[in-house]
Amino acid sequence: MNKEKNRMLLVIDVQNDFCPGGSLAVHDGDSVVPVVNRLTSHFDLVVATQDWHPENHVSFVKNHPGRNVHDRIYVDGISQVLWPTHCVAGTHGADFHPALNAENFQLILRKGTHPSVDSYSAFMENDKKTVTGLEGYLKGLRIENVYVCGLATDYCVFRSVMDSVQAGFKTHVVIDGCRGVNVPQGSVDKAIETMKENGVLILHSSGLL
Ligand code: VGL
Ligand code: ZN
């Protein structure tokens, strides 16, 4: 496994708002931090993402009067789940978890920056048209294997993984380095099943260290 060449680690959204005490806290979200910290030194290339929204972002329930958190609405034909205000650009909630060691991150990619479109995936915004540039960056570096960890398993990890497969990367999920929202109930299991059906390899960090 460690002899495999051209591989990178993609760390998704390990930010204060997704950890206990944050506005969109994922149960046990901070427990991925020590796993990610152990993993980074085993990769030549580490890219981390930050969810990075403006105050008027389409995903915030406060911008849709009369709607409730977790409602699913359609905006310009795109399905959008409504969330509490989270990861507002430049705020404490958008910062990496303080115990996350960002020293070895070569690239920090911020996504979800446009008010009218959300971006769960590190590769492509939710309109499924606007790219972030990550695919081109990784292909420019001749990366073939993408290892994904972070938050949340059923949203940003899932969508990043599916786009990674779509882009032709051999894609792996370090499952103990992920935690999910599980809204709606069962969405974590469903995401894992769908990833497996699409050829994604699910592994434990102990297989990499
Ligand atoms: C995420 C919901 C809203 C995630 C981001 O990082 O999985 N989930 N924004
Ligand atoms: Zn978000």
Side-chain angles (χ1 to χ4, degrees):
M1 182 69 79
N2 283 327
K3 289 203 203 78
E4 194 177 50
K5 286 284 180 286
N6 304 326
R7 52 184 212 150
M8 62 87 67
L9 182 69
L10 180 57
V11 181
I12 303 290
D13 299 359
V14 183
Q15 294 166 269
N16 288 321
D17 271 342
F18 297 125
C19 292
S23 66
L24 213 174
V26 174
H27 179 71
D28 212 21
D30 55 341
S31 64
V32 308
V33 172
V35 179
V36 176
N37 286 346
R38 283 197 297 274
L39 282 170
T40 50
S41 62
H42 293 262
F43 286 82
D44 293 330
L45 177 65
V46 183
V47 175
T49 62
Q50 286 178 304
D51 211 35
W52 199 260
H53 300 312
E55 280 283 358
N56 61 345
H57 195 246
V58 65
S59 76
F60 296 168
V61 68
K62 70 166 180 183
N63 295 324
H64 303 272
R67 297 288 183 173
N68 298 307
V69 167
H70 300 154
D71 279 359
R72 181 184 295 275
I73 64 167
Y74 286 83
V75 181
D76 298 331
I78 302 166
S79 166
Q80 178 69 58
V81 177
L82 300 181
W83 303 107
T85 301
H86 65 279
C87 297
V88 173
T91 64
H92 172 77
D95 286 345
F96 286 131
H97 185 283
L100 186 71
N101 182 1
E103 200 181 295
N104 298 325
F105 297 168
Q106 279 93 337
L107 174 70
I108 296 171
L109 186 140
R110 289 168 171 170
K111 61 183 179 61
T113 59
H114 301 123
S116 62
V117 56
D118 209 354
S119 188
Y120 291 152
S121 165
F123 291 91
M124 183 104 59
E125 303 199 26
N126 289 9
D127 62 4
K128 295 191 159 53
K129 286 199 273 275
T130 312
V131 299
T132 64
L134 183 60
E135 178 181 345
Y137 175 82
L138 297 180
K139 288 189 173 164
L141 294 174
R142 303 281 180 268
I143 293 296
E144 292 170 11
N145 286 274
V146 172
Y147 287 78
V148 188
C149 57
L151 307 171
T153 316
D154 39 349
Y155 286 90
C156 291
V157 170
F158 173 66
R159 296 286 279 272
S160 298
V161 164
M162 297 306 287
D163 283 348
S164 172
V165 171
Q166 186 67 42
F169 299 109
K170 187 168 181 192
T171 309
H172 314 249
V173 173
V174 188
I175 200 68
D176 54 318
C178 299
R179 291 293 183 282
V181 181
N182 212 28
V183 171
Q185 187 78 35
S187 61
V188 169
D189 288 345
K190 196 174 150 201
I192 292 170
E193 269 321 300
T194 305
M195 292 190 285
K196 282 183 182 164
E197 282 164 17
N198 283 273
V200 174
L201 300 169
I202 311 284
L203 78 159
H204 194 271
S205 62
S206 59
L208 286 169
L209 306 175

